[in-house]
Amino acid sequence: MRQPNILMVMADQLAPHFTGAYGHRLVRTPAMDALAERGTRFDAAYCSFPLCAPSRFSMLSGQPATAIDAWDNAAEFPARVPTMAHYLNLAGYRTVLAGKMHFIGPDQLHGFTRRLNTDVYPADFAWTPNWDQADDRIDKWYHNMDSLSEAGQALATYQIDYDEEVGFSTTRQLYDFAREADERPWYMTAALIHPHDPYVARPAWWDLYDHDDIDLPDGFDSPDPHTLRIRHGIQADTIGYTDEQCRNARHGYYANTSYFDSWLGQMVKVLEETGQLDNTIVIATSDHGDMLGDRGLWFKMSFFERSLRVPLIMAGPGVANRTVGNVCSLMDLLPTLLDISLAGTSSDNASSGNGRIEPVIPLAGRSLWESATGGHDPIDETIAEYTGEMTSHPMFMIRRGRHKYIHCDSDPALLYDIEADPLERNNLTDDPAHTELAASFAAETAQRWDSNAIRERVLASQRSRWMLHAAMTIDGHYSWDFTPVRDGASEYVRDNMDWAEAGPRFRFPEPT
């Protein structure tokens, strides 16, 4: 057996709680279900930052966001930071990116040797928060209640356009892998934007669900200060929303979750059709979740379970059929992929001859390959950070075993027993039985993070980026946005090729 191929399929803003694969009574996710039925489902997987760009940068680098200055959705991802794509290149893999990765800055590849699509969001500093005026909305791009008031059906949206392009280019690339003469293993990330708001779905997916059967949040309302800040920032406390708007939004979200799942299913089908499935590790995940109305919150940006947890399902050669309850993180994927790249090699020598690729920067995560292949993982913890909009001070989370601890210098601490209280309704910090535990978490937080120093770094970065963006938009606009390069003169049938050879060359399987 040679090194396995790796296909990672990412949703955007998909909470595992709202998937059939993780037990939701309504939401249909047959492709995720099928992966879980033959692979490993991780039941306590978290992102390391509940916001798109920092979560992805942290995942790709295996580093906490504060270690790579990934402060928010407009923070540059430094080109100097090694990513899983860089490491897999060295391990002998071809590396391809399709879809959204929310790279900020002039480097729009970050180790991927090919990128098939432009991104769906801007690559510049336009979305920089402003902690100097933390209570002010940046109306141009902050989430708001429009996502609820406009929820419903449409034949086309920019998100549907985007995912149709990403889905097509991914399946075409999978066919290309099968019909190319290059026998090196490949690693591909296919990153779609659904079910990210706005919650607008095509009728075919909307009609999968009975509108009257869509469940609503339970109405719990005991807000902590950050919850109040998010409500204010998204205008949930001023404009508000009705129960029917909430039902529409959740209906659209469920429909778009099924839409994402359908693309996952098509990609797996192409692998099966082309004989690549038996030697491909397929990973399904997301960058963060969505509160979907719980606590009166929408979208992400909080450390509560629906915002912070992600689906993580892995299937393929060597992967056991099991569920894993240990707490883990997207930061664990880079060391996991390094171990996968060694599977099928002898004496730890990769096909490139370079052997085991050792990280040049110590990784924050640990490999999940032992768990995925049926072994025991003694580690049951992870951390998360938040330095984006709707706060003025860094926020930190530690999840260890059954407990989750949340700290922000401006707010009272939060402590939850996730096993006994999965909806996080009971803050245990003032419970006498948990005084010692809360104090221990507080001391650990102070030891792990210098909150004052991080805040000063965030403020300095924001001020610099605000100035740079203003300067760069005075006389036109210079864009870092990725533009795909296609050689149209080499596609399909052209004068520089033999027509009689072009047909067999692109036909799969080849004629006999």
Side-chain angles (χ1 to χ4, degrees), residues 35 136 292 399 407 419:
L35 280 187
D136 295 346
L292 275 196
R399 171 75 200 270
H407 171 88
E419 290 185 14

mmCIF file of all heavy atoms in Angstrom, residues 35 136 292 399 407 419:
data_model
loop_
_atom_site.group_PDB
_atom_site.id
_atom_site.type_symbol
_atom_site.label_atom_id
_atom_site.label_comp_id
_atom_site.label_asym_id
_atom_site.label_seq_id
_atom_site.Cartn_x
_atom_site.Cartn_y
_atom_site.Cartn_z
ATOM 1 N N LEU A 35 -19.885 8.312 6.150
ATOM 2 C CA LEU A 35 -18.498 8.375 6.620
ATOM 3 C C LEU A 35 -18.388 7.848 8.044
ATOM 4 O O LEU A 35 -17.477 7.077 8.367
ATOM 5 C CB LEU A 35 -17.979 9.811 6.564
ATOM 6 C CG LEU A 35 -17.512 10.393 5.239
ATOM 7 C CD1 LEU A 35 -16.892 11.771 5.477
ATOM 8 C CD2 LEU A 35 -16.516 9.483 4.530
ATOM 9 N N ASP A 136 -18.780 50.445 18.907
ATOM 10 C CA ASP A 136 -19.335 50.895 17.630
ATOM 11 C C ASP A 136 -19.397 49.739 16.635
ATOM 12 O O ASP A 136 -18.474 48.931 16.539
ATOM 13 C CB ASP A 136 -18.481 52.019 17.030
ATOM 14 C CG ASP A 136 -18.501 53.278 17.864
ATOM 15 O OD1 ASP A 136 -19.374 53.380 18.757
ATOM 16 O OD2 ASP A 136 -17.649 54.158 17.644
ATOM 17 N N LEU A 292 -27.395 29.680 16.185
ATOM 18 C CA LEU A 292 -28.739 29.453 15.640
ATOM 19 C C LEU A 292 -29.855 29.813 16.623
ATOM 20 O O LEU A 292 -30.881 29.129 16.685
ATOM 21 C CB LEU A 292 -28.903 27.997 15.184
ATOM 22 C CG LEU A 292 -28.431 27.637 13.782
ATOM 23 C CD1 LEU A 292 -29.009 26.312 13.342
ATOM 24 C CD2 LEU A 292 -28.762 28.720 12.756
ATOM 25 N N ARG A 399 -10.859 23.680 27.756
ATOM 26 C CA ARG A 399 -11.760 22.529 27.925
ATOM 27 C C ARG A 399 -10.893 21.342 28.317
ATOM 28 O O ARG A 399 -10.000 20.929 27.574
ATOM 29 C CB ARG A 399 -12.516 22.225 26.625
ATOM 30 C CG ARG A 399 -13.318 20.917 26.645
ATOM 31 C CD ARG A 399 -14.603 20.987 27.444
ATOM 32 N NE ARG A 399 -15.061 19.649 27.815
ATOM 33 C CZ ARG A 399 -15.885 18.884 27.079
ATOM 34 N NH1 ARG A 399 -16.333 19.334 25.921
ATOM 35 N NH2 ARG A 399 -16.255 17.696 27.507
ATOM 36 N N HIS A 407 -12.523 32.730 30.257
ATOM 37 C CA HIS A 407 -11.993 33.917 30.951
ATOM 38 C C HIS A 407 -11.890 35.095 29.993
ATOM 39 O O HIS A 407 -11.463 34.964 28.848
ATOM 40 C CB HIS A 407 -10.601 33.633 31.516
ATOM 41 C CG HIS A 407 -9.930 34.863 32.052
ATOM 42 N ND1 HIS A 407 -10.097 35.288 33.352
ATOM 43 C CD2 HIS A 407 -9.116 35.789 31.461
ATOM 44 C CE1 HIS A 407 -9.419 36.403 33.541
ATOM 45 N NE2 HIS A 407 -8.812 36.732 32.406
ATOM 46 N N GLU A 419 -20.623 17.563 30.555
ATOM 47 C CA GLU A 419 -21.300 16.266 30.587
ATOM 48 C C GLU A 419 -22.643 16.361 31.300
ATOM 49 O O GLU A 419 -23.648 15.828 30.836
ATOM 50 C CB GLU A 419 -20.407 15.218 31.257
ATOM 51 C CG GLU A 419 -19.197 14.834 30.434
ATOM 52 C CD GLU A 419 -18.406 13.700 31.069
ATOM 53 O OE1 GLU A 419 -18.936 13.045 31.993
ATOM 54 O OE2 GLU A 419 -17.258 13.473 30.651
#
